[in-house]
Amino acid sequence: MTKRIFRSICLVSISVFLVFAVLFTAFLYNYFSDSQQAQLKIQTNLVAQGASHEGMDYFKGLDNSDYRITWIDKDGTVLFDSQSDLSGMENHMEREEVKEAIAYGSGESARYSKTLLERSLYTAQRLNDGTVIRLSTSQNSLLRLFLGIVWPVSFICVAAALLSLVLASRLSKKIVKPLNELNLDEPLNNEGYDELSPLLRRISIQQKQIRQQSAELLQKQREFDAVTTGMTEGIVLLNSKRIILSINSAAMRLLGTDDSCVGKFILSVNRSTELQELLLKAGGGKYAESVMELAGGKYQIDVSPIISNERVSGMVLLMLDVTEKEKIEQMRREFTANVSHELKTPLHTISGSAELMCNGMVKPEDTEKFAARIYRESQRMIGLVEDIIKLSHLDEGAENMEWEKVDLYALAEETVNRLLPSAASAGIKLALTGEKAEVNAVPQLLKEIVYNLCDNGIKYNRENGSVKVTVQNEGDHVLLRVSDTGVGIPPEHQERIFERFYRVDKSHSKEIGGTGLGLSIVKHAVKLLNGSLKLESQPGKGTCITVIFPRA
């Protein structure tokens, strides 16, 4: 702005000076031309009077160096000329000033030389006898005058230009100084040009609006950050060119990056082909989703396009953890398959035995054996269904069950006494030790836990083995420990024995009539009672399972 003002002032100053110089020169030239013409007219009048009284004698000894005097006869013949030879002069009848003098008594004219550097002024007056006296003088033309003063004028122009530059520089800085010193943080407190008042008021209003909008945006940003930071789901905001605009901490963790990725191309952070296909589909204005493996888990990736003015202006990428859902779905499928398999075997046995009996293909002495097989397999099916029902109830939670203070030792004693006949028939020694220990629990679930642990200890024990049940208080907890001298569990199976229908030795499990759901029931019941499980086992040496409950 300073440069523009500087150039404008310089241009105006120099232009005004030049125009003034030209006009002033022309005015002076015209003024002096008119004065010289008037003086020439006076001189003509004097010469005319002298010639009228004295005739040709008037011109003898006359000093005529300043003027050229010509006496012209009434037919145009030159009678006298102070500067030229008469023999070589042409007739002057057609000269403008002569014609006017003959016609009107006096005449004037001006003529330029061929080079336009000189101008001749003529004044003529008619005498009483009809002859004409003409005086002429020469003066420089405007062009010659300009050429004569070009150097002084040039010097003056340069001086004026330099002065204009200095003054323009100082003036432009002075003009711009109040603008440069404007306090835009407080526009209404500025002192300067009155013409700036509407602009400063407008700036003040806009600043208030901007501050209000900035505060709202900052508040929304903080709310957004507060919400997204605490989310386990990953959220990424992209523009139409798939550049990252915002990303929360969960998404950074899943994509293996940090907040420096903001402003970068999303595929430079994750080059997955699946993700690229989702983004291409969303870029076409369609919702896209897929399940991908990220950070060691399964995540559902949802990409939603943001449509503005019928164009995709951005995308929202949402990452949902479906690892547990996938596991549950897998467990459901395995559970369905296992239930079908477990029911199929006894059903085939029952159906085959019943068919043989119906067709009379069983000998009378074998009827009891086939009936016992049908009974045994049906009991196995009943036990399996009962365990499935128990698991179903446990999956629904313990909200509808009655909680009460229970003496775990007394409950364990009751369960052990109930299993003593089974242990004795299997040649297993079952014993209970410990002390009174109270817990807040659901009695039915506690019974299931103790029963299944003891029943497993008996079933999967060796001949003449033992099962020891211990109940004791330990600080703020109550411990239920069931240890046996059975076959033990290999390390590679220890993490999975609490899964439904999982068996370490499937053939042995079927021989002893196990459903494969006992430990799964124990796990779910312990979880509902806010307890925890601890497994210790060595193949060939036995197994010890400890259940830890909060003390009442």
Side-chain angles (χ1 to χ4, degrees):
M1 183 175 180
T2 305
K3 292 182 179 180
R4 294 183 63 183
I5 294 175
F6 174 76
R7 288 195 298 266
S8 299
I9 293 175
C10 287
L11 182 61
V12 170
S13 299
I14 295 173
S15 300
V16 169
F17 174 77
L18 292 176
V19 171
F20 174 77
V22 171
L23 293 177
F24 185 70
T25 302
F27 172 78
L28 287 179
Y29 181 78
N30 290 331
Y31 174 76
F32 286 113
S33 295
D34 292 342
S35 297
Q36 193 173 11
Q37 187 76 36
Q39 185 67 30
L40 184 62
K41 187 174 183 180
I42 294 172
Q43 293 296 331
T44 303
N45 187 32
L46 292 174
V47 172
Q49 290 181 7
S52 296
H53 291 90
E54 301 181 19
M56 195 64 69
D57 293 336
Y58 175 77
F59 300 107
K60 293 179 181 180
L62 182 66
D63 184 7
N64 57 359
S65 59
D66 294 331
Y67 303 99
R68 179 183 179 184
I69 302 173
T70 306
W71 194 357
I72 306 166
D73 198 359
K74 53 187 176 182
D75 60 355
T77 304
V78 178
L79 301 176
F80 172 81
D81 190 276
S82 61
Q83 294 182 359
S84 299
D85 185 12
L86 297 179
S87 61
M89 296 185 68
E90 60 184 11
N91 191 282
H92 281 40
M93 193 63 188
E94 296 301 323
R95 301 295 172 91
E96 182 181 353
E97 67 278 4
V98 176
K99 291 171 65 177
E100 289 183 0
I102 294 173
Y104 306 108
S106 65
E108 296 177 357
S109 69
R111 288 190 286 274
Y112 288 94
S113 65
K114 293 182 178 179
T115 60
L116 299 179
L117 297 177
E118 194 174 69
R119 184 187 185 206
S120 297
L121 300 178
Y122 297 92
T123 302
Q125 185 171 335
R126 187 184 63 194
L127 303 181
N128 293 331
D129 59 359
T131 59
V132 176
I133 291 295
R134 185 189 71 174
L135 267 69
S136 66
T137 185
S138 297
Q139 68 170 173
N140 293 327
S141 66
L142 188 60
L143 177 60
R144 188 166 186 173
L145 179 64
F146 178 77
L147 293 176
I149 64 173
V150 66
W151 287 110
V153 169
S154 298
F155 174 77
I156 294 173
C157 288
V158 171
L162 293 176
L163 182 61
S164 298
L165 292 175
V166 174
L167 295 177
S169 177
R170 296 183 62 182
L171 185 59
S172 60
K173 290 179 181 178
K174 187 175 180 180
I175 292 173
V176 174
K177 184 178 179 181
L179 299 178
N180 291 332
E181 294 178 351
L182 285 177
N183 182 8
L184 296 180
D185 294 330
E186 298 178 357
L188 299 181
N189 294 335
N190 288 287
E191 293 182 2
Y193 303 115
D194 294 336
E195 292 79 4
L196 293 177
S197 297
L199 174 62
L200 295 176
R201 284 195 295 270
R202 182 65 177 172
I203 291 175
S204 178
I205 294 172
Q206 289 184 343
Q207 282 186 343
K208 290 180 181 178
Q209 293 175 347
I210 291 172
R211 282 194 291 268
Q212 182 179 356
Q213 293 173 356
S214 298
E216 293 176 356
L217 290 175
L218 182 61
Q219 180 64 24
K220 290 181 180 179
Q221 182 66 39
R222 287 174 178 171
E223 293 174 356
F224 178 79
D225 292 340
V227 171
T228 58
T229 300
M231 292 176 62
T232 57
E233 296 82 3
I235 295 179
V236 183
L237 300 181
L238 309 173
N239 64 9
S240 58
K241 296 181 181 179
R242 290 175 280 178
I243 302 298
I244 298 175
L245 301 178
S246 178
I247 182 170
N248 69 343
S249 55
M252 286 189 278
R253 176 180 57 81
L254 295 175
L255 296 176
T257 184
D258 52 29
D259 53 8
S260 63
C261 68
V262 176
K264 295 182 180 179
F265 189 48
I266 179 65
L267 295 181
S268 67
V269 177
N270 187 296
R271 300 181 179 275
S272 169
T273 305
E274 290 179 79
L275 180 59
Q276 187 173 1
E277 291 176 355
L278 293 176
L279 293 173
L280 288 174
K281 188 175 180 181
K286 297 180 180 179
Y287 171 81
E289 68 174 28
S290 180
V291 177
M292 295 173 52
E293 287 191 10
L294 295 172
K298 294 277 188 177
Y299 285 83
Q300 179 177 322
I301 311 299
D302 298 337
V303 184
S304 302
I306 301 174
I307 308 297
S308 177
N309 296 326
E310 300 182 354
R311 294 175 64 249
V312 177
S313 59
M315 307 174 198
V316 178
L317 193 148
L318 181 63
M319 306 174 186
L320 302 173
D321 187 358
V322 294
T323 306
E324 205 60 36
K325 179 182 177 182
E326 290 287 317
K327 288 182 179 179
I328 293 173
E329 186 65 22
Q330 181 65 25
M331 289 175 60
R332 185 190 65 78
R333 290 193 293 267
E334 291 178 357
F335 179 76
T336 302
N338 288 329
V339 168
S340 301
H341 179 73
E342 293 293 335
L343 291 175
K344 184 178 180 181
T345 301
L347 281 174
H348 276 299
T349 302
I350 293 172
S351 176
S353 299
E355 184 180 6
L356 290 174
M357 294 176 68
C358 287
N359 294 332
M361 299 177 66
V362 178
K363 297 178 181 179
E365 59 272 18
D366 294 331
T367 300
E368 184 178 350
K369 183 174 66 173
F370 275 86
R373 182 184 298 173
I374 291 173
Y375 176 76
R376 186 172 61 252
E377 294 297 332
S378 62
Q379 289 298 313
R380 181 183 172 190
M381 288 181 61
I382 291 172
L384 178 61
V385 171
E386 287 179 348
D387 284 347
I388 292 173
I389 293 173
K390 290 176 185 177
L391 275 175
S392 178
H393 287 317
L394 293 176
D395 287 337
E396 293 175 359
E399 288 82 3
N400 298 326
M401 300 181 181
E402 294 184 2
W403 290 67
E404 60 183 74
K405 189 177 290 187
V406 180
D407 181 1
L408 182 58
Y409 183 84
L411 185 144
E413 185 178 23
E414 179 184 344
T415 305
V416 166
N417 291 333
R418 177 181 164 193
L419 288 171
L420 281 175
S422 300
S425 63
I428 303 298
K429 183 180 178 182
L430 178 61
L432 171 66
T433 61
E435 58 186 342
K436 180 180 179 181
E438 292 185 341
V439 295
N440 283 325
V442 179
Q444 181 184 351
L445 296 183
L446 278 179
K447 289 179 183 179
E448 290 291 341
I449 293 170
V450 177
Y451 181 88
N452 278 289
L453 290 177
C454 293
D455 187 51
N456 272 11
I458 295 170
K459 288 179 179 178
Y460 296 98
N461 216 314
R462 63 183 64 184
E463 189 176 355
N464 298 321
S466 64
V467 176
K468 183 179 179 181
V469 181
T470 304
V471 177
Q472 68 182 71
N473 294 300
E474 189 174 285
D476 294 333
H477 298 87
V478 173
L479 274 59
L480 169 67
R481 184 178 290 110
V482 179
S483 58
D484 62 59
T485 58
V487 294
I489 303 169
E492 62 271 18
H493 296 285
Q494 290 182 12
E495 291 185 0
R496 300 193 61 189
I497 61 168
F498 293 100
E499 294 179 9
R500 301 175 186 187
F501 295 110
Y502 188 82
R503 296 185 177 93
V504 177
D505 186 348
K506 295 183 179 181
S507 59
H508 180 65
S509 297
K510 290 184 178 181
E511 288 176 5
I512 61 177
T515 62
L517 295 174
L519 289 180
S520 183
I521 292 173
V522 169
K523 176 184 175 182
H524 281 70
V526 170
K527 184 177 180 181
L528 289 175
L529 296 178
N530 302 317
S532 60
L533 280 168
K534 183 179 179 183
L535 171 67
E536 299 175 53
S537 182
Q538 293 184 7
K541 293 185 179 181
T543 301
C544 178
I545 296 178
T546 304
V547 184
I548 305 170
F549 296 104
R551 189 173 181 179

